[in-house]
Amino acid sequence: MNAPTTSAPMRLGNVLTKRGFVTIEQLEVALDHQKNKGKNKLLGEILVDLGYCTEDQIIECLAVEYGIPYAKLEARLYDPRVVGILPREYIEKNLVFPLFLIDDVLTIAVTEISNLFLIDEIQTLTEKQVQIVASSPRDVRRMIQNLPDSKVFVIDDIIEDSDQSEVTLIEDAIEDIGDVEEIAGQSPVIRLVNYVIYNAVKEGASDIHIEPAERCMRVRYRIDGKLHKSLEVPQHLLNAVNSRIKIMAGLDISERRLPQDGRVHVMLDSRKIDLRVSTFPGNRGEKTVIRVLDTKKVTLVLKHLGFAEDILDRFLNNIHAPNGIVLVTGPTGSGKSTTLYAALNEIATMENNICTVEDPIEYHLPLINQFQVQERVGLTFSKALRTLLRQDPDVIMVGEVRDEETGRTAIQAALTGHLVFSTLHTNDAVSAVTRLVNMGVEPYLIGAALNMVLAQRLVRSICPKCSEAYEPPRNLRKTLERMGYEIPVFRKGIGCRYCRNSGYSGRLGVHEMLTIDDELRDAIVAGMPIGELRRLAVKSKNLISMQHDGFRKVREGITTIEEVLHATGDVAMASMT
């Protein structure tokens, strides 16, 4: 504990007792301990060691004593653009953390509030006027650990009033690329790349595709699951644009023959956005795809993800279970990770030790310990999972069950009293059982550990600005009625400026829920074929099908019959629309 000595202990003790953090009796015990056994220890350290109060309470009281503010650090309390004002090595060595810069005054969190030399040193290094707030060493270390490894690029400071007309002016021929890094650092290329990212975030795109065409470089955005052309620029800019993106993501700009993956953080509208970069060489040049992870666009609240009430009730019951496995299945891009993050958010408390193993970590969550898989150094899913079991976890989330070893370890964790969340790539909920068996996991282990499987897809929502009723083909309505679905009014979007004339705005999930009871466990252990297993689940009312959930959303006017049929793969019925 970094705190002043001399006469400070009594003053600190008075503040602690006045605020009710410790009793007078506890203070006397600590002072006696300091006098007889801990002469080299500060009072605050002794009180924490004895369990009478917390490190945060000590720092808060010291802040009162010294007349400076106390700050409980959170990610939203600092400006990522300001952190780089001090070298990271200096921050880690001295346990300080720059928070924000306003009118040339740097506010910085410190743990050693009595060290005036440190404050003078920071003023000299930064050439800024410094004001300090007190924070605990634990909080400062956590903030340092959460700093991104890659550089943060601030688009706001460069893009300013750029518009498409400005971008299309980049027509100067580059006959000889020469030093690509130099070309990539020139302002037209920087302005173009920043515009592409800025516009993608503004449009709500989930992915940016930068690809070589026959006579141009084409940029497309994936919005609500569909690709839309954004702009085309001269093809000779492709290498410079790709190199600029590689520089931002810390990739090798000289390597154009092999795929590369990286990440970069940008600041836009005063919020941090994570970009995942993937390059792949093609016959006309490299194609670059950028995944946009914008926390503002992501809802990590279960009831906002499109769950029907009966499915949500079953899901909540299973994620609050004491042990077992909960699986979320679906293809890439179907929202599996978002659902799991929302589930972890739902159960995260100070009393739970929740740990995740991910590749990559997409969103940072409070009260949750998140660990990144590092395949290159041998930290695989299965190895990380085995290590986590020695970390006294209550809940474990494994990003994906990819192989027999990971599946077997996850099941063993569930059978030894842990609640395990994970994902699988299957087309429906019942197929998850077959997938695990095909991996080599014994059916009796699956039957014993599996609690629930949630399969999901994302469908586009009808645009609320241009939604209107319409009459579908008569044979489609009759077919739905024979299946037991009476939909009095069908709705669709006719297209407007708000939805880019698509008739859709945003996406939500359609779900298939399989819950496992004793009868289904016996059937899994017995190796029942997937078709019979599905019929048994329907008969016992343990399965709510994705088609059923989708048709309910059509009846409620949330999405269209075409979207549901496309998501559920019903080709025959889709031909009627």
Side-chain angles (χ1 to χ4, degrees), residues 233-263:
V233 297
Q235 190 183 46
H236 57 246
L237 288 174
L238 176 67
N239 286 339
V241 167
N242 282 336
S243 295
R244 170 61 184 167
I245 295 170
K246 287 180 181 179
I247 291 169
M248 293 173 68
L251 303 179
D252 183 0
I253 65 169
S254 65
E255 180 57 76
R256 298 185 190 174
R257 298 169 299 173
L258 296 173
Q260 295 188 72
D261 295 292
R263 59 189 295 178

PDB file of all heavy atoms in Angstrom, residues 233-263:
ATOM      1  N   VAL A 233     -13.031   2.960 -56.850  1.00  0.00           N
ATOM      2  CA  VAL A 233     -11.950   3.914 -57.098  1.00  0.00           C
ATOM      3  C   VAL A 233     -10.962   3.247 -58.048  1.00  0.00           C
ATOM      4  O   VAL A 233     -11.000   2.031 -58.265  1.00  0.00           O
ATOM      5  CB  VAL A 233     -11.249   4.334 -55.784  1.00  0.00           C
ATOM      6  CG1 VAL A 233     -12.208   5.061 -54.871  1.00  0.00           C
ATOM      7  CG2 VAL A 233     -10.648   3.135 -55.067  1.00  0.00           C
ATOM      8  N   PRO A 234     -10.047   4.017 -58.641  1.00  0.00           N
ATOM      9  CA  PRO A 234      -9.090   3.434 -59.595  1.00  0.00           C
ATOM     10  C   PRO A 234      -8.329   2.257 -59.001  1.00  0.00           C
ATOM     11  O   PRO A 234      -7.914   2.268 -57.841  1.00  0.00           O
ATOM     12  CB  PRO A 234      -8.162   4.609 -59.907  1.00  0.00           C
ATOM     13  CG  PRO A 234      -9.007   5.815 -59.696  1.00  0.00           C
ATOM     14  CD  PRO A 234      -9.920   5.484 -58.561  1.00  0.00           C
ATOM     15  N   GLN A 235      -8.114   1.240 -59.841  1.00  0.00           N
ATOM     16  CA  GLN A 235      -7.519  -0.007 -59.366  1.00  0.00           C
ATOM     17  C   GLN A 235      -6.080   0.168 -58.873  1.00  0.00           C
ATOM     18  O   GLN A 235      -5.612  -0.562 -57.996  1.00  0.00           O
ATOM     19  CB  GLN A 235      -7.549  -1.049 -60.481  1.00  0.00           C
ATOM     20  CG  GLN A 235      -7.171  -2.455 -60.007  1.00  0.00           C
ATOM     21  CD  GLN A 235      -7.134  -3.443 -61.154  1.00  0.00           C
ATOM     22  OE1 GLN A 235      -6.582  -3.155 -62.204  1.00  0.00           O
ATOM     23  NE2 GLN A 235      -7.724  -4.612 -60.956  1.00  0.00           N
ATOM     24  N   HIS A 236      -5.361   1.186 -59.413  1.00  0.00           N
ATOM     25  CA  HIS A 236      -3.962   1.336 -59.025  1.00  0.00           C
ATOM     26  C   HIS A 236      -3.807   1.765 -57.564  1.00  0.00           C
ATOM     27  O   HIS A 236      -2.699   1.785 -57.041  1.00  0.00           O
ATOM     28  CB  HIS A 236      -3.242   2.324 -59.954  1.00  0.00           C
ATOM     29  CG  HIS A 236      -3.885   3.681 -60.013  1.00  0.00           C
ATOM     30  ND1 HIS A 236      -4.475   4.164 -61.157  1.00  0.00           N
ATOM     31  CD2 HIS A 236      -4.031   4.642 -59.078  1.00  0.00           C
ATOM     32  CE1 HIS A 236      -4.950   5.381 -60.932  1.00  0.00           C
ATOM     33  NE2 HIS A 236      -4.696   5.688 -59.677  1.00  0.00           N
ATOM     34  N   LEU A 237      -4.898   2.098 -56.878  1.00  0.00           N
ATOM     35  CA  LEU A 237      -4.821   2.454 -55.462  1.00  0.00           C
ATOM     36  C   LEU A 237      -4.921   1.230 -54.545  1.00  0.00           C
ATOM     37  O   LEU A 237      -4.754   1.355 -53.330  1.00  0.00           O
ATOM     38  CB  LEU A 237      -5.944   3.433 -55.105  1.00  0.00           C
ATOM     39  CG  LEU A 237      -5.795   4.858 -55.645  1.00  0.00           C
ATOM     40  CD1 LEU A 237      -7.039   5.671 -55.355  1.00  0.00           C
ATOM     41  CD2 LEU A 237      -4.571   5.523 -55.055  1.00  0.00           C
ATOM     42  N   LEU A 238      -5.218   0.056 -55.135  1.00  0.00           N
ATOM     43  CA  LEU A 238      -5.469  -1.127 -54.308  1.00  0.00           C
ATOM     44  C   LEU A 238      -4.302  -1.452 -53.382  1.00  0.00           C
ATOM     45  O   LEU A 238      -4.489  -1.630 -52.170  1.00  0.00           O
ATOM     46  CB  LEU A 238      -5.770  -2.333 -55.209  1.00  0.00           C
ATOM     47  CG  LEU A 238      -5.966  -3.667 -54.468  1.00  0.00           C
ATOM     48  CD1 LEU A 238      -7.237  -3.637 -53.632  1.00  0.00           C
ATOM     49  CD2 LEU A 238      -6.004  -4.827 -55.458  1.00  0.00           C
ATOM     50  N   ASN A 239      -3.073  -1.536 -53.930  1.00  0.00           N
ATOM     51  CA  ASN A 239      -1.927  -1.912 -53.106  1.00  0.00           C
ATOM     52  C   ASN A 239      -1.658  -0.889 -52.015  1.00  0.00           C
ATOM     53  O   ASN A 239      -1.315  -1.241 -50.881  1.00  0.00           O
ATOM     54  CB  ASN A 239      -0.676  -2.094 -53.979  1.00  0.00           C
ATOM     55  CG  ASN A 239      -0.723  -3.371 -54.783  1.00  0.00           C
ATOM     56  OD1 ASN A 239      -1.454  -4.300 -54.449  1.00  0.00           O
ATOM     57  ND2 ASN A 239       0.048  -3.426 -55.856  1.00  0.00           N
ATOM     58  N   ALA A 240      -1.809   0.386 -52.347  1.00  0.00           N
ATOM     59  CA  ALA A 240      -1.564   1.432 -51.348  1.00  0.00           C
ATOM     60  C   ALA A 240      -2.608   1.383 -50.233  1.00  0.00           C
ATOM     61  O   ALA A 240      -2.284   1.530 -49.054  1.00  0.00           O
ATOM     62  CB  ALA A 240      -1.564   2.803 -52.018  1.00  0.00           C
ATOM     63  N   VAL A 241      -3.867   1.156 -50.610  1.00  0.00           N
ATOM     64  CA  VAL A 241      -4.929   1.071 -49.603  1.00  0.00           C
ATOM     65  C   VAL A 241      -4.714  -0.141 -48.705  1.00  0.00           C
ATOM     66  O   VAL A 241      -4.802  -0.054 -47.468  1.00  0.00           O
ATOM     67  CB  VAL A 241      -6.315   1.011 -50.283  1.00  0.00           C
ATOM     68  CG1 VAL A 241      -7.397   0.598 -49.287  1.00  0.00           C
ATOM     69  CG2 VAL A 241      -6.657   2.368 -50.895  1.00  0.00           C
ATOM     70  N   ASN A 242      -4.424  -1.297 -49.317  1.00  0.00           N
ATOM     71  CA  ASN A 242      -4.169  -2.495 -48.516  1.00  0.00           C
ATOM     72  C   ASN A 242      -2.961  -2.311 -47.599  1.00  0.00           C
ATOM     73  O   ASN A 242      -2.970  -2.759 -46.450  1.00  0.00           O
ATOM     74  CB  ASN A 242      -3.944  -3.702 -49.423  1.00  0.00           C
ATOM     75  CG  ASN A 242      -5.248  -4.263 -49.973  1.00  0.00           C
ATOM     76  OD1 ASN A 242      -6.306  -4.081 -49.376  1.00  0.00           O
ATOM     77  ND2 ASN A 242      -5.174  -4.940 -51.107  1.00  0.00           N
ATOM     78  N   SER A 243      -1.930  -1.638 -48.101  1.00  0.00           N
ATOM     79  CA  SER A 243      -0.740  -1.422 -47.277  1.00  0.00           C
ATOM     80  C   SER A 243      -1.046  -0.488 -46.113  1.00  0.00           C
ATOM     81  O   SER A 243      -0.544  -0.675 -45.001  1.00  0.00           O
ATOM     82  CB  SER A 243       0.399  -0.854 -48.129  1.00  0.00           C
ATOM     83  OG  SER A 243       0.813  -1.797 -49.089  1.00  0.00           O
ATOM     84  N   ARG A 244      -1.851   0.521 -46.354  1.00  0.00           N
ATOM     85  CA  ARG A 244      -2.238   1.430 -45.268  1.00  0.00           C
ATOM     86  C   ARG A 244      -2.980   0.661 -44.175  1.00  0.00           C
ATOM     87  O   ARG A 244      -2.720   0.838 -42.978  1.00  0.00           O
ATOM     88  CB  ARG A 244      -3.114   2.561 -45.815  1.00  0.00           C
ATOM     89  CG  ARG A 244      -3.766   3.435 -44.756  1.00  0.00           C
ATOM     90  CD  ARG A 244      -2.741   4.130 -43.883  1.00  0.00           C
ATOM     91  NE  ARG A 244      -3.386   4.891 -42.810  1.00  0.00           N
ATOM     92  CZ  ARG A 244      -2.744   5.383 -41.758  1.00  0.00           C
ATOM     93  NH1 ARG A 244      -1.438   5.208 -41.639  1.00  0.00           N
ATOM     94  NH2 ARG A 244      -3.391   6.057 -40.841  1.00  0.00           N
ATOM     95  N   ILE A 245      -3.895  -0.211 -44.575  1.00  0.00           N
ATOM     96  CA  ILE A 245      -4.637  -1.009 -43.598  1.00  0.00           C
ATOM     97  C   ILE A 245      -3.697  -1.949 -42.858  1.00  0.00           C
ATOM     98  O   ILE A 245      -3.809  -2.137 -41.640  1.00  0.00           O
ATOM     99  CB  ILE A 245      -5.772  -1.780 -44.303  1.00  0.00           C
ATOM    100  CG1 ILE A 245      -6.799  -0.792 -44.873  1.00  0.00           C
ATOM    101  CG2 ILE A 245      -6.454  -2.748 -43.325  1.00  0.00           C
ATOM    102  CD1 ILE A 245      -7.823  -1.421 -45.780  1.00  0.00           C
ATOM    103  N   LYS A 246      -2.733  -2.535 -43.580  1.00  0.00           N
ATOM    104  CA  LYS A 246      -1.761  -3.422 -42.926  1.00  0.00           C
ATOM    105  C   LYS A 246      -0.918  -2.666 -41.904  1.00  0.00           C
ATOM    106  O   LYS A 246      -0.618  -3.176 -40.823  1.00  0.00           O
ATOM    107  CB  LYS A 246      -0.851  -4.069 -43.976  1.00  0.00           C
ATOM    108  CG  LYS A 246      -1.509  -5.144 -44.817  1.00  0.00           C
ATOM    109  CD  LYS A 246      -0.506  -5.710 -45.820  1.00  0.00           C
ATOM    110  CE  LYS A 246      -1.138  -6.765 -46.698  1.00  0.00           C
ATOM    111  NZ  LYS A 246      -0.169  -7.307 -47.680  1.00  0.00           N
ATOM    112  N   ILE A 247      -0.515  -1.454 -42.249  1.00  0.00           N
ATOM    113  CA  ILE A 247       0.263  -0.648 -41.304  1.00  0.00           C
ATOM    114  C   ILE A 247      -0.548  -0.392 -40.041  1.00  0.00           C
ATOM    115  O   ILE A 247      -0.046  -0.512 -38.916  1.00  0.00           O
ATOM    116  CB  ILE A 247       0.685   0.688 -41.962  1.00  0.00           C
ATOM    117  CG1 ILE A 247       1.725   0.436 -43.056  1.00  0.00           C
ATOM    118  CG2 ILE A 247       1.231   1.662 -40.925  1.00  0.00           C
ATOM    119  CD1 ILE A 247       2.002   1.636 -43.927  1.00  0.00           C
ATOM    120  N   MET A 248      -1.808  -0.048 -40.209  1.00  0.00           N
ATOM    121  CA  MET A 248      -2.676   0.201 -39.052  1.00  0.00           C
ATOM    122  C   MET A 248      -2.823  -1.044 -38.190  1.00  0.00           C
ATOM    123  O   MET A 248      -2.861  -0.965 -36.957  1.00  0.00           O
ATOM    124  CB  MET A 248      -4.057   0.676 -39.528  1.00  0.00           C
ATOM    125  CG  MET A 248      -4.061   2.030 -40.204  1.00  0.00           C
ATOM    126  SD  MET A 248      -5.675   2.441 -40.922  1.00  0.00           S
ATOM    127  CE  MET A 248      -6.670   2.658 -39.457  1.00  0.00           C
ATOM    128  N   ALA A 249      -2.894  -2.212 -38.842  1.00  0.00           N
ATOM    129  CA  ALA A 249      -3.136  -3.459 -38.113  1.00  0.00           C
ATOM    130  C   ALA A 249      -1.850  -4.158 -37.690  1.00  0.00           C
ATOM    131  O   ALA A 249      -1.899  -5.248 -37.119  1.00  0.00           O
ATOM    132  CB  ALA A 249      -3.979  -4.409 -38.976  1.00  0.00           C
ATOM    133  N   GLY A 250      -0.686  -3.545 -37.982  1.00  0.00           N
ATOM    134  CA  GLY A 250       0.581  -4.142 -37.581  1.00  0.00           C
ATOM    135  C   GLY A 250       0.958  -5.372 -38.374  1.00  0.00           C
ATOM    136  O   GLY A 250       1.652  -6.257 -37.862  1.00  0.00           O
ATOM    137  N   LEU A 251       0.536  -5.454 -39.639  1.00  0.00           N
ATOM    138  CA  LEU A 251       0.856  -6.597 -40.483  1.00  0.00           C
ATOM    139  C   LEU A 251       2.079  -6.302 -41.351  1.00  0.00           C
ATOM    140  O   LEU A 251       2.551  -5.167 -41.428  1.00  0.00           O
ATOM    141  CB  LEU A 251      -0.342  -6.955 -41.363  1.00  0.00           C
ATOM    142  CG  LEU A 251      -1.652  -7.270 -40.628  1.00  0.00           C
ATOM    143  CD1 LEU A 251      -2.754  -7.572 -41.633  1.00  0.00           C
ATOM    144  CD2 LEU A 251      -1.466  -8.427 -39.667  1.00  0.00           C
ATOM    145  N   ASP A 252       2.572  -7.320 -42.035  1.00  0.00           N
ATOM    146  CA  ASP A 252       3.748  -7.206 -42.895  1.00  0.00           C
ATOM    147  C   ASP A 252       3.309  -6.719 -44.278  1.00  0.00           C
ATOM    148  O   ASP A 252       2.665  -7.457 -45.023  1.00  0.00           O
ATOM    149  CB  ASP A 252       4.434  -8.575 -42.991  1.00  0.00           C
ATOM    150  CG  ASP A 252       5.719  -8.529 -43.830  1.00  0.00           C
ATOM    151  OD1 ASP A 252       6.068  -7.439 -44.326  1.00  0.00           O
ATOM    152  OD2 ASP A 252       6.350  -9.591 -43.980  1.00  0.00           O
ATOM    153  N   ILE A 253       3.678  -5.485 -44.626  1.00  0.00           N
ATOM    154  CA  ILE A 253       3.216  -4.935 -45.907  1.00  0.00           C
ATOM    155  C   ILE A 253       3.961  -5.549 -47.090  1.00  0.00           C
ATOM    156  O   ILE A 253       3.502  -5.456 -48.232  1.00  0.00           O
ATOM    157  CB  ILE A 253       3.358  -3.398 -45.948  1.00  0.00           C
ATOM    158  CG1 ILE A 253       4.833  -2.997 -45.893  1.00  0.00           C
ATOM    159  CG2 ILE A 253       2.569  -2.759 -44.837  1.00  0.00           C
ATOM    160  CD1 ILE A 253       5.048  -1.531 -46.193  1.00  0.00           C
ATOM    161  N   SER A 254       5.108  -6.176 -46.830  1.00  0.00           N
ATOM    162  CA  SER A 254       5.866  -6.770 -47.933  1.00  0.00           C
ATOM    163  C   SER A 254       5.349  -8.156 -48.315  1.00  0.00           C
ATOM    164  O   SER A 254       5.705  -8.682 -49.371  1.00  0.00           O
ATOM    165  CB  SER A 254       7.347  -6.872 -47.559  1.00  0.00           C
ATOM    166  OG  SER A 254       7.528  -7.772 -46.471  1.00  0.00           O
ATOM    167  N   GLU A 255       4.506  -8.742 -47.480  1.00  0.00           N
ATOM    168  CA  GLU A 255       3.973 -10.080 -47.737  1.00  0.00           C
ATOM    169  C   GLU A 255       2.627  -9.977 -48.451  1.00  0.00           C
ATOM    170  O   GLU A 255       1.632  -9.554 -47.864  1.00  0.00           O
ATOM    171  CB  GLU A 255       3.818 -10.850 -46.424  1.00  0.00           C
ATOM    172  CG  GLU A 255       3.275 -12.269 -46.596  1.00  0.00           C
ATOM    173  CD  GLU A 255       4.135 -13.097 -47.530  1.00  0.00           C
ATOM    174  OE1 GLU A 255       5.219 -13.527 -47.104  1.00  0.00           O
ATOM    175  OE2 GLU A 255       3.709 -13.279 -48.702  1.00  0.00           O
ATOM    176  N   ARG A 256       2.627 -10.374 -49.740  1.00  0.00           N
ATOM    177  CA  ARG A 256       1.385 -10.329 -50.511  1.00  0.00           C
ATOM    178  C   ARG A 256       0.997 -11.702 -51.045  1.00  0.00           C
ATOM    179  O   ARG A 256       0.025 -11.830 -51.784  1.00  0.00           O
ATOM    180  CB  ARG A 256       1.528  -9.371 -51.692  1.00  0.00           C
ATOM    181  CG  ARG A 256       1.793  -7.932 -51.293  1.00  0.00           C
ATOM    182  CD  ARG A 256       1.792  -7.055 -52.526  1.00  0.00           C
ATOM    183  NE  ARG A 256       2.266  -5.723 -52.228  1.00  0.00           N
ATOM    184  CZ  ARG A 256       2.481  -4.774 -53.142  1.00  0.00           C
ATOM    185  NH1 ARG A 256       2.248  -5.062 -54.423  1.00  0.00           N
ATOM    186  NH2 ARG A 256       2.911  -3.596 -52.800  1.00  0.00           N
ATOM    187  N   ARG A 257       1.781 -12.720 -50.693  1.00  0.00           N
ATOM    188  CA  ARG A 257       1.513 -14.062 -51.215  1.00  0.00           C
ATOM    189  C   ARG A 257       0.743 -14.933 -50.241  1.00  0.00           C
ATOM    190  O   ARG A 257       0.163 -15.942 -50.631  1.00  0.00           O
ATOM    191  CB  ARG A 257       2.836 -14.744 -51.575  1.00  0.00           C
ATOM    192  CG  ARG A 257       3.624 -14.047 -52.664  1.00  0.00           C
ATOM    193  CD  ARG A 257       5.025 -14.627 -52.759  1.00  0.00           C
ATOM    194  NE  ARG A 257       5.766 -14.456 -51.505  1.00  0.00           N
ATOM    195  CZ  ARG A 257       6.953 -14.969 -51.249  1.00  0.00           C
ATOM    196  NH1 ARG A 257       7.551 -15.717 -52.184  1.00  0.00           N
ATOM    197  NH2 ARG A 257       7.560 -14.767 -50.098  1.00  0.00           N
ATOM    198  N   LEU A 258       0.745 -14.571 -48.966  1.00  0.00           N
ATOM    199  CA  LEU A 258       0.095 -15.375 -47.934  1.00  0.00           C
ATOM    200  C   LEU A 258      -0.979 -14.564 -47.230  1.00  0.00           C
ATOM    201  O   LEU A 258      -0.870 -13.335 -47.108  1.00  0.00           O
ATOM    202  CB  LEU A 258       1.124 -15.860 -46.903  1.00  0.00           C
ATOM    203  CG  LEU A 258       2.211 -16.816 -47.407  1.00  0.00           C
ATOM    204  CD1 LEU A 258       3.237 -17.060 -46.308  1.00  0.00           C
ATOM    205  CD2 LEU A 258       1.607 -18.123 -47.881  1.00  0.00           C
ATOM    206  N   PRO A 259      -2.039 -15.220 -46.739  1.00  0.00           N
ATOM    207  CA  PRO A 259      -3.061 -14.518 -45.958  1.00  0.00           C
ATOM    208  C   PRO A 259      -2.465 -13.991 -44.649  1.00  0.00           C
ATOM    209  O   PRO A 259      -1.530 -14.573 -44.093  1.00  0.00           O
ATOM    210  CB  PRO A 259      -4.120 -15.598 -45.685  1.00  0.00           C
ATOM    211  CG  PRO A 259      -3.829 -16.695 -46.651  1.00  0.00           C
ATOM    212  CD  PRO A 259      -2.360 -16.647 -46.918  1.00  0.00           C
ATOM    213  N   GLN A 260      -3.031 -12.898 -44.153  1.00  0.00           N
ATOM    214  CA  GLN A 260      -2.622 -12.335 -42.866  1.00  0.00           C
ATOM    215  C   GLN A 260      -3.865 -11.911 -42.093  1.00  0.00           C
ATOM    216  O   GLN A 260      -4.894 -11.562 -42.675  1.00  0.00           O
ATOM    217  CB  GLN A 260      -1.700 -11.128 -43.047  1.00  0.00           C
ATOM    218  CG  GLN A 260      -0.364 -11.436 -43.679  1.00  0.00           C
ATOM    219  CD  GLN A 260       0.558 -10.234 -43.655  1.00  0.00           C
ATOM    220  OE1 GLN A 260       1.077  -9.831 -42.616  1.00  0.00           O
ATOM    221  NE2 GLN A 260       0.781  -9.632 -44.819  1.00  0.00           N
ATOM    222  N   ASP A 261      -3.746 -11.937 -40.768  1.00  0.00           N
ATOM    223  CA  ASP A 261      -4.827 -11.495 -39.891  1.00  0.00           C
ATOM    224  C   ASP A 261      -4.271 -10.533 -38.852  1.00  0.00           C
ATOM    225  O   ASP A 261      -3.161 -10.747 -38.342  1.00  0.00           O
ATOM    226  CB  ASP A 261      -5.482 -12.682 -39.174  1.00  0.00           C
ATOM    227  CG  ASP A 261      -6.191 -13.617 -40.138  1.00  0.00           C
ATOM    228  OD1 ASP A 261      -7.209 -13.196 -40.711  1.00  0.00           O
ATOM    229  OD2 ASP A 261      -5.715 -14.752 -40.326  1.00  0.00           O
ATOM    230  N   GLY A 262      -5.036  -9.523 -38.540  1.00  0.00           N
ATOM    231  CA  GLY A 262      -4.618  -8.554 -37.522  1.00  0.00           C
ATOM    232  C   GLY A 262      -5.815  -7.801 -36.981  1.00  0.00           C
ATOM    233  O   GLY A 262      -6.964  -8.083 -37.333  1.00  0.00           O
ATOM    234  N   ARG A 263      -5.536  -6.848 -36.132  1.00  0.00           N
ATOM    235  CA  ARG A 263      -6.613  -6.054 -35.537  1.00  0.00           C
ATOM    236  C   ARG A 263      -6.115  -4.646 -35.308  1.00  0.00           C
ATOM    237  O   ARG A 263      -4.918  -4.398 -35.169  1.00  0.00           O
ATOM    238  CB  ARG A 263      -7.087  -6.673 -34.226  1.00  0.00           C
ATOM    239  CG  ARG A 263      -6.023  -6.801 -33.173  1.00  0.00           C
ATOM    240  CD  ARG A 263      -6.496  -7.617 -31.989  1.00  0.00           C
ATOM    241  NE  ARG A 263      -7.589  -6.967 -31.285  1.00  0.00           N
ATOM    242  CZ  ARG A 263      -8.208  -7.497 -30.233  1.00  0.00           C
ATOM    243  NH1 ARG A 263      -7.849  -8.701 -29.795  1.00  0.00           N
ATOM    244  NH2 ARG A 263      -9.173  -6.870 -29.632  1.00  0.00           N
TER     245      ARG A 263
END
